[in-house]
Every structure is written in structure tokens, then in C-alpha cells.
Amino acid sequence: MSDEHAFEDFVVARGSALLRTAVLLCAGSRHDAEDAVQTALEKAYRHWGRVEGDPEPYVRRILVNVIISRARRWKVLREVHMAHPPEPLASSAEDGVVLRDLLIRELHRLPPRQRAVLVLRYWEDLSELQIATLLGCSAGTVKSQASKALARLRNAGFVSAGVSNEH
């Protein structure tokens, strides 16, 4: 199979999953997520012939790096403040949507690396070691970033005090 067909097959098979991850990493902005996925796929395509084994970790790492780089450049433009933390439990489907929206907004307030760690850990279900490899840092850094991020979410009323970094 040619590299071009292998790339097309990969995009068809994993494109939606990459977009879901990107939407969370972009704090719910589908437009930003689509741009990031497109940029990551473009970068991956340039080196596709050299990718060995499963290409998903390689492409996911590019995606995370693209989003973190963009967030560093744009971090001063967006900041969301909440007057009151949300209620801890949703009592209806509508409340659940509101709570999800507030959580996405609060995720957006996190620094890009902390947001990446939480999304990869709790939404993508990656291990600390997998995240460390993906982000190019130590497992200890992943743990500390997760701890800091969870503390910020806890202070905003999203995470109960009993929740730890363990999954």
C-alpha cells in the first residue's frame, strides 16, 4: 500500500477521534480544533514515509504540540471568570449541558500543558507514562501538572476533594 493510501486510511479511521481530542484540548472550540487537526495532519503527512508502527501516537503528539504552541501565543486573549462556582451535581439533562459548558470553560482557563494532561488522562484514558512520552516530559511532571490542574478545578467547584490523580 502506498504512503498516500496509508495516510488516507489513517485519516478516515482516526480523524474523528483526533478531532474529539482536539475539541477538548481547545476547550470546546470546534473551529480551533479543526484547524489544529488540519495542521497536525499536514505536518504528519510531510514525514509519513518515515513513520514506523502505529502512527497514532506520533500524530497525537504533533496535535498536542500544535495546540500548546497556539495557546501560548493566544493566552492573553481569552479569560473566563465565574462569579459563583457551579452546583456540584446536575439535576436535569439541561443542567448537565450547562455544567459541561462550564467545565469546558474552566478547562480553557487552565494552562495548555495542564489541560493537555487532564484531557489525555481522563478523556483519552492514557497512562501517565504514555502522556509523559507524548509530551516529552517525565511521569513526575505529568503527575504534578495533573495535581495542579485538579486543584484549580477543585477550587472552581468541579472536582470533589476525594478525587485524586489516580484513575
Side-chain angles (χ1 to χ4, degrees):
M1 182 183 301
S2 73
D3 287 345
E4 190 170 318
H5 285 102
F7 181 77
E8 288 174 7
D9 290 346
F10 172 78
V11 172
V12 168
R14 301 304 303 152
S16 294
L18 290 170
L19 181 59
R20 278 191 304 274
T21 299
V23 167
L24 290 168
L25 289 170
C26 291
S29 172
R30 185 172 178 90
H31 176 73
D32 290 344
E34 289 171 348
D35 286 347
V37 169
Q38 183 69 30
T39 300
L41 290 172
E42 176 188 340
K43 289 180 178 204
Y45 182 74
R46 283 189 247 147
H47 304 286
W48 195 256
R50 293 184 278 178
V51 176
E52 296 178 11
D54 181 12
E56 187 164 0
Y58 174 73
V59 176
R60 191 180 297 167
R61 182 173 186 163
I62 293 171
L63 178 63
V64 169
N65 288 340
V66 164
I67 292 169
I68 288 173
S69 293
R70 286 183 179 182
R72 284 182 183 140
R73 281 178 277 181
W74 293 96
K75 82 179 201 178
V76 294
L77 295 179
R78 296 183 192 157
E79 189 169 323
V80 177
H81 296 281
M82 294 185 340
H84 305 285
E87 294 297 320
L89 296 175
S91 59
S92 72
E94 184 177 305
D95 290 342
V97 170
V98 170
L99 185 59
R100 181 181 183 276
D101 182 55
L102 290 172
L103 177 58
I104 294 292
R105 288 181 189 187
E106 195 62 30
L107 272 174
H108 184 70
R109 292 185 67 200
L110 294 174
R113 211 167 205 13
Q114 289 179 10
R115 183 171 55 240
V117 166
L118 287 187
V119 168
L120 293 171
R121 182 74 175 124
Y122 296 103
W123 275 274
E124 292 297 317
D125 203 28
L126 297 181
S127 70
E128 289 166 348
L129 187 56
Q130 289 171 312
I131 297 167
T133 301
L134 186 72
L135 297 178
C137 62
S138 71
T141 299
V142 170
K143 289 179 185 181
S144 72
Q145 292 292 302
S147 177
K148 289 175 186 175
L150 289 173
R152 286 183 71 169
L153 292 178
R154 192 174 295 117
N155 288 337
F158 283 101
V159 180
S160 69
V163 174
S164 72
N165 294 347
E166 294 306 313
H167 185 43

